[in-house]
Amino acid sequence: MIRIFATDGMDKSAIAALEAKGCEVKTDFYEPEALKDAVKECDVLVVRSATKVRAPHIDAAVEGGRLKLIIRAGVGVDNIDVAYAKEKGLTVTNTPKASSEAVAELALAHMFSVARYISAAGATMREGKWEKKAYNGIELTGRTVGIVGYGRIGQALGKRCQALGMKVLAYDIFKVEGLECETMKYVELDELLANSDIISLHVPSLEGQPFVNAESIAKMKDGVIIINTSRGTNVDEQALLEALESGKVYGAGLDVFSKEPATGSPLFSHPRVSCTPHIGANTKEAQARIGRELVSIISEKFGL
């Protein structure tokens, strides 16, 4: 029997489909030390963002001799030591297509939230206040959005922004033929920083300095909006806070943070920051698509 440990949960329909194929599926979460024992007992390890699979876990899996496949149920795989796992003979993959629409929609939702003070206004109303005059927002139509990382998620966001009457500047090391048009063009990074009213990040965790730091913020337009639904380490949170206080940055929409779970950050209570707790892929539709892709990957790997 194929044993599957989905340490950060799995869609119920996927569990049912795998069990119908004769698999055993467990959805217990394991702390890092406990995970080293768990990986010795399963054939497949499925993780989302909460579980980190590092060298000690991989060494334990190899020692156990059972684990064959690690799947990141989502896009990025930076919470898995991929190169080391492959070096040790384990297969590592992800589900890059399944959550693109959900993450793109959340990025757009944060744009609206920041532009119209939706998060802050809602919070004050729950406190019994009526501060209509305090929330004089801006419109997205006619703005220029710079999308850093124009892969599946970036393109999904770009289509939505163009439909709203926005212009898209895209930066990516890979340029897809046939996407450029009157309302979308590829540019170099400095041009994107200098000319974007809104900057949305859709890149993996980058080595070295965070992408948004004091230096890059200085290159941006005054009053820029920054959206991050990629990885928390891509933003220097202190530099962002200082730029918000100075007015250089108009507002920010953040779904990810440098340390998660994130608590107590002054960004959370800032009136021009819209925050969510890493829910980019948390829609019923996305989780169902991820589940179907997991079933497909596992079935192909083990000939089910």
Side-chain angles (χ1 to χ4, degrees):
M1 177 183 289
I2 305 301
R3 299 191 77 194
I4 302 162
F5 286 3
T7 60
D8 301 324
M10 183 185 290
D11 185 74
K12 291 181 179 178
S13 63
I15 294 174
L18 288 166
E19 288 178 341
K21 291 174 177 283
C23 300
E24 177 188 354
V25 183
K26 291 183 64 177
T27 56
D28 298 329
F29 176 77
Y30 297 93
E31 295 294 341
E33 281 301 312
L35 184 63
K36 287 192 287 188
D37 291 326
V39 294
K40 298 177 182 179
E41 301 173 5
C42 63
D43 302 283
V44 182
L45 179 64
V46 180
V47 303
R48 290 179 65 188
S49 58
T51 299
K52 308 296 188 288
V53 186
R54 302 307 184 196
H57 306 117
I58 295 164
D59 287 338
V62 172
E63 179 185 335
R66 182 164 182 170
L67 185 66
K68 300 294 187 296
L69 175 64
I70 303 172
I71 309 174
R72 165 69 163 94
V75 181
V77 291
D78 46 294
N79 57 322
I80 304 170
D81 285 346
V82 177
Y84 190 68
K86 290 183 176 180
E87 179 185 318
K88 295 296 183 177
L90 303 179
T91 299
V92 181
T93 188
N94 61 349
T95 60
K97 301 176 183 178
S99 58
S100 299
E101 305 298 321
V103 178
E105 287 189 8
L106 182 65
L108 185 60
H110 274 299
M111 290 184 198
F112 278 113
S113 182
V114 173
R116 298 305 304 272
Y117 290 95
I118 293 171
S119 179
T124 55
M125 288 190 74
R126 285 189 288 275
E127 294 171 356
K129 300 176 182 178
W130 184 266
E131 299 185 341
K132 179 177 179 178
K133 293 182 179 179
Y135 303 120
N136 188 27
I138 61 173
E139 296 177 4
L140 297 184
T141 302
R143 304 279 173 178
T144 297
V145 57
I147 300 178
V148 181
Y150 212 63
R152 291 184 179 90
I153 297 171
Q155 290 170 39
L157 176 60
K159 291 176 183 177
R160 287 160 172 77
C161 290
Q162 290 173 81
L164 288 169
M166 303 173 75
K167 293 183 179 179
V168 175
L169 301 180
Y171 171 77
D172 202 303
I173 55 175
F174 302 106
K175 294 179 173 61
V176 179
E177 295 291 333
L179 294 183
E180 289 191 296
C181 60
E182 185 178 348
T183 55
M184 179 270 160
K185 67 174 182 175
Y186 284 104
V187 295
E188 294 303 314
L189 185 56
D190 281 352
E191 183 178 348
L192 182 149
L193 295 176
N195 293 287
S196 298
D197 301 300
I198 303 164
I199 295 174
S200 191
L201 306 183
H202 301 282
V203 288
S205 184
L206 304 175
E207 294 183 6
Q209 287 194 78
F211 176 83
V212 172
N213 54 37
E215 182 181 352
S216 63
I217 290 172
K219 297 179 180 179
M220 298 176 190
K221 293 176 68 171
D222 291 345
V224 68
I225 292 173
I226 296 172
I227 306 294
N228 187 21
T229 56
S230 61
R231 288 292 180 265
T233 51
N234 286 335
V235 173
D236 181 331
E237 292 170 6
Q238 182 59 37
L240 174 59
L241 181 61
E242 291 172 4
L244 285 161
E245 293 296 330
S246 72
K248 173 69 177 183
V249 172
Y250 176 87
L254 306 172
D255 183 50
V256 289
F257 302 89
S258 57
K259 293 182 180 179
E260 296 183 3
T263 57
S265 169
L267 288 168
F268 300 165
S269 57
H270 198 286
R272 288 182 281 110
V273 175
S274 174
C275 292
T276 46
H278 204 151
I279 60 171
N282 283 17
T283 66
K284 292 180 180 178
E285 295 85 353
Q287 290 307 307
R289 287 192 296 268
I290 289 171
R292 289 193 293 271
E293 198 164 347
L294 290 173
V295 173
S296 176
I297 292 168
I298 294 168
S299 297
E300 183 176 347
K301 176 70 175 179
F302 294 95
L304 302 177

